[in-house]
Amino acid sequence: MELRDKNGLTEKEFLERYQPSDYERPSVATDMVIFTARDCKEDNYRKLPEKKLQILLIKRGGHPYMNKWALPGGFVEPDETTEQAAKRELLEETGVDNIYLEQLYTFSEPKRDPRMWVMSCSYMALVDSEKINVSAGDDAKSAEWFNVSLKKEKTEVNEKSDGFVSVTDYVLELEKEDEVLSAKIRLTKTRTNSGLDSHYDIVENDGLAFDHAKIITFAVLRLRGKVTYTDIALNLVPEYFTLTELQQVYEIILDRELLKAPFRRKYGILARQTDDYSKDAGHRPSKLFRKKWLRE
């Protein structure tokens, strides 16, 4: 016996009469926060080059936000998942695939895109800078790497009878050569007996399209959190690396200097020693290591 709903319809009859156009539906896009760690030019050949944490941005070639910088991404095609769309965009923008990729968050505010309601299923990717071949997509004027800086400006905590409200302001700066983009992002956390609610607001924004300053801030904080208890940082070093290079990657992510001995005690488990040495001119060769992935 077939089940019937309150209108006396079977499932087949219901689906035959169903009109999707009766409901407003959002479009779905993927936005990619693509991180890499790159060496900076060093005038003194005897010094090891410093690393910078960078993300890839594209300059929009059309409206809306024409000539503004934005995260690479695009709309999800009817025959693909959001993850497939993210991998497609990643390959188109960097020329690489089969790299670290994870979903960040779905940003779904109705007015985040001036064209229509567009939900962004955002992703974070980590790319070895030696493998990258950057190219701008059809809808972009150019694609460039920007140095990333995210600093906490202040935090205010107000106690409540059943919890607290914490408000933290972050200053985001993205820099390349003589161009600097900046934004102030406010993270509000509300803890009550029923749980924790967090949301991000853009307080100030100079040069970034859409709500991408919010997405970038979310990604940097996610990366900083995960780097302390996973092997995620290994995705930002080449196949062969020194322990100093690995420490530099941690320092640029966490935005602070780390003591050499404690770092090696804690994170040395991520490196497998080889019989090879670095061949950099101007300073003493260092032992080379290979990645040693953690097992769950």
Side-chain angles (χ1 to χ4, degrees):
M1 181 177 179
E2 290 188 278
L3 293 176
R4 295 182 179 273
D5 63 14
K6 61 183 180 181
N7 295 316
L9 300 176
T10 65
E11 182 174 307
K12 180 180 179 181
E13 292 169 338
F14 168 79
L15 293 175
E16 288 174 347
R17 300 183 186 186
Y18 187 79
Q19 297 294 325
S21 59
D22 290 344
Y23 302 91
E24 183 177 356
R25 294 175 296 167
S27 295
V28 180
T30 58
D31 290 306
M32 303 287 299
V33 185
I34 305 173
F35 289 107
T36 195
R38 304 182 81 195
D39 290 339
C40 298
K41 292 181 180 179
E42 180 56 64
D43 295 332
N44 185 348
Y45 77 99
R46 292 187 178 276
K47 290 184 62 178
L48 289 172
E50 293 186 358
K51 290 187 181 295
K52 293 288 187 180
L53 183 67
Q54 298 185 332
I55 65 169
L56 184 65
L57 296 179
I58 59 101
K59 178 170 281 190
R60 291 183 56 79
H63 297 299
Y65 298 104
M66 188 166 66
N67 293 333
K68 297 290 186 180
W69 291 97
L71 293 169
F75 288 100
V76 179
E77 300 293 340
D79 60 346
E80 63 184 1
T81 66
T82 56
E83 184 171 347
Q84 289 170 336
K87 290 180 177 180
R88 171 174 53 78
E89 292 289 342
L90 185 62
L91 181 61
E92 291 175 0
E93 300 289 351
T94 67
V96 296
D97 57 6
N98 194 29
I99 64 172
Y100 182 86
L101 181 73
E102 74 166 81
Q103 184 175 334
L104 283 173
Y105 189 75
T106 299
F107 295 85
S108 57
E109 290 85 351
K111 297 186 183 299
R112 59 176 302 276
D113 190 311
R115 294 169 292 187
M116 56 185 172
W117 184 15
V118 179
M119 296 172 59
S120 171
C121 189
S122 60
Y123 284 82
M124 175 173 70
L126 303 183
V127 185
D128 174 6
S129 61
E130 294 184 356
K131 299 179 180 179
I132 299 169
N133 180 25
V134 173
S135 61
D138 294 338
D139 58 347
K141 284 188 173 181
S142 61
E144 300 283 350
W145 290 101
F146 282 73
N147 298 333
V148 183
S149 171
L150 181 69
K151 297 187 179 299
K152 185 186 296 185
E153 188 177 60
K154 63 178 180 179
T155 298
E156 296 181 357
V157 179
N158 295 316
E159 300 291 341
K160 300 175 62 178
S161 59
D162 61 343
F164 64 86
V165 177
S166 170
V167 180
T168 303
D169 285 346
Y170 290 94
V171 176
L172 174 67
E173 287 192 349
L174 308 173
E175 180 181 7
K176 73 169 186 70
E177 298 174 350
D178 59 348
E179 185 169 9
V180 178
L181 314 175
S182 63
K184 180 182 287 188
I185 309 298
R186 180 163 295 159
L187 170 58
T188 303
K189 296 182 178 180
T190 304
R191 166 67 75 179
T192 63
N193 293 333
S194 58
L196 178 66
D197 176 72
S198 301
H199 68 269
Y200 293 76
D201 295 295
I202 299 176
V203 180
E204 300 173 7
N205 183 31
D206 180 17
L208 280 164
F210 304 103
D211 57 352
H212 290 184
K214 184 190 304 187
I215 299 176
I216 295 169
T217 299
F218 191 102
V220 173
L221 295 178
R222 169 75 66 85
L223 181 59
R224 286 179 181 174
K226 294 196 72 169
V227 77
T228 59
Y229 66 91
T230 72
D231 56 13
I232 193 173
L234 292 179
N235 295 283
L236 294 174
V237 295
E239 181 180 1
Y240 293 91
F241 58 91
T242 66
L243 291 180
T244 297
E245 289 174 321
L246 182 62
Q247 182 171 336
Q248 286 179 327
V249 168
Y250 274 82
E251 289 177 337
I252 62 175
I253 292 173
L254 297 172
D255 194 28
R256 68 174 188 268
E257 291 186 3
L258 302 173
L259 295 176
K260 180 177 178 180
F263 173 83
R264 296 192 176 189
R265 283 197 300 270
K266 183 173 183 180
Y267 297 108
I269 60 173
L270 301 179
R272 179 181 287 109
Q273 185 171 295
T274 72
D275 295 327
D276 299 320
Y277 288 82
S278 63
K279 297 179 175 60
D280 300 310
H283 53 269
R284 183 179 177 182
S286 300
K287 179 73 77 171
L288 288 175
F289 293 78
R290 298 189 71 177
K291 302 173 185 179
K292 186 177 180 181
W293 300 99
L294 296 177
R295 297 181 180 179
E296 296 296 338

